[in-house]
């Protein structure tokens, strides 16, 4: 190694210089103008609960003090809400932060982590950071194939397998019965990371009745989506108490500030606002589907706060995406074939969807001309 080079570990030195996502802010800086509609990050454009905003305003005066490192009040409320024991609840900096800690608990160089090809990339990012080998199974019918994931976990003697339900980036879901069958099909000493970030939007059939003491699974939930608090970074994990307590060995104990804890606690208590957001999101999904259909793009079924619009082929999807970006509409698309034939559009408010409705036909026309 060059004497002037930083003394990185061999693992870190061998990792690519990358981030899982290029944020809209970076894209705005590159294009030299703000986006007219921000519909690519699956945030809730309907905003947080008014009660959560009031709670955060009140807590702001106490921002000089660290937040409770045990997040006791928030965890207690989550435990009551989820029907889980208090010592089976972990609070942290969104699902991404919790995935990073969980990966470090179970993965090491040479271990195998299993996921779907094209699934949420942050899990792969953390697994690679632990030196794990990542094995992937393809989607089937635009859904994560739980049976293929379990079979691959058995074949590779995997330590961890990741499954999102509902799924990002396609928006589909599997039933609670399928989740139970998935857990039963895993090999010994393999733990499932069940990402339920979009659980509040899912139909009842998708909700898995996982025993809080079941050591085969960690369930990850967030306040970033339905609760509209993506800017605070608050998530939680539900796990068997022995596993939940192990997070204390690695987690950032002051990662959740007072304002974040206060906002999440108030959001969890405001069920009426959550019900309204879920209804408005469903209506927005319907409008996105109609806008897409008017331009010849079919909407995939979605149990999330976004819709995947089928553009027919990856090159055409990329051209339409680029056309939307050029017209000031921030959207994203999956990066792996055959998922990359779609663009993914967040369920926005009326103003944002008006911009999308104006820009999409122009982007589709431009893509057709270029093709």
């Amino acid at each position: 190694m060059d004497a002037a080079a930083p003394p990185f570990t061999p693992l870190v030195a061998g990792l690519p210089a990358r981030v899982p996502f290029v944020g809209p802010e970076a894209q705005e800086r590159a294009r030299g103008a703000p986006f007219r509609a921000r519909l690519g990050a699956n945030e809730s454009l309907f905003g947080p609960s008014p009660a959560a905003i009031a709670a955060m305003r009140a807590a702001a005066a106490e921002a000089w003090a660290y937040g409770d490192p045990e997040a006791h009040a928030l965890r207690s409320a989550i435990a009551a809400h989820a029907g889980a024991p208090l010592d089976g609840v972990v609070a942290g900096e969104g699902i991404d932060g919790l995935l990073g800690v969980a990966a470090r608990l179970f993965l090491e160089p040479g271990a195998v982590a299993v996921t779907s090809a094209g699934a949420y990339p942050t899990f792969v990012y953390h697994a690679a950071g632990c030196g794990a080998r990542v094995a992937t199974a393809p989607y089937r019918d635009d859904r994560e194939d739980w049976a293929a994931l379990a079979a691959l976990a058995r074949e590779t003697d995997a330590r961890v397998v990741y499954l999102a339900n509902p799924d990002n980036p396609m928006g589909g879901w599997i039933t609670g019965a399928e989740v139970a069958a998935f857990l039963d099909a895993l090999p010994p000493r393999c733990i499932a990371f069940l990402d339920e970030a979009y659980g509040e939007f899912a139909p009842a059939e998708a909700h898995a009745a996982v025993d809080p003491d079941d050591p085969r699974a960690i369930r990850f939930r967030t306040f970033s989506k339905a609760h509209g608090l993506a800017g605070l970074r608050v998530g939680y994990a539900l796990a068997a108490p022995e596993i939940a307590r192990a997070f204390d060995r690695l987690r950032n104990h002051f990662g959740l500030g007072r304002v974040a804890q206060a906002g999440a606690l108030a959001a969890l208590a405001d069920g009426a606002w959550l019900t309204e957001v879920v209804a408005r999101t469903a209506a927005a999904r319907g409008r996105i589907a109609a806008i897409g259909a008017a331009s010849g793009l079919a909407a995939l079924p979605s149990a999330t706060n976004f819709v995947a619009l089928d553009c027919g082929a990856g090159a055409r999807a990329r051209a339409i995406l680029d056309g939307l970006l050029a017209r000031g509409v921030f959207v994203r698309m999956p990066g792996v074939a055959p998922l990359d034939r779609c663009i993914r559009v967040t369920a926005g408010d009326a103003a944002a969807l008006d911009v999308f409705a104006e820009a999409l036909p122009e982007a589709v026309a431009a893509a057709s001309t270029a093709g």
Side-chain angles (χ1 to χ4, degrees), residues 54-65 258-259 262:
M56 290 186 285
R57 283 175 175 156
E62 299 178 348
W64 57 270
R258 298 179 77 87
V259 176

Side-chain angles (χ1 to χ4, degrees), residues 230-271:
L232 289 187
R233 310 306 303 127
V234 187
Y236 59 95
L238 303 173
E242 182 179 5
I243 293 174
R245 287 192 294 269
F247 275 75
D248 282 338
R249 304 177 189 181
L250 296 174
R251 70 180 178 89
N252 178 3
H253 288 73
F254 289 100
L256 292 183
R258 298 179 77 87
V259 176
Q261 292 186 39
L265 186 59
L268 191 65
D270 194 347

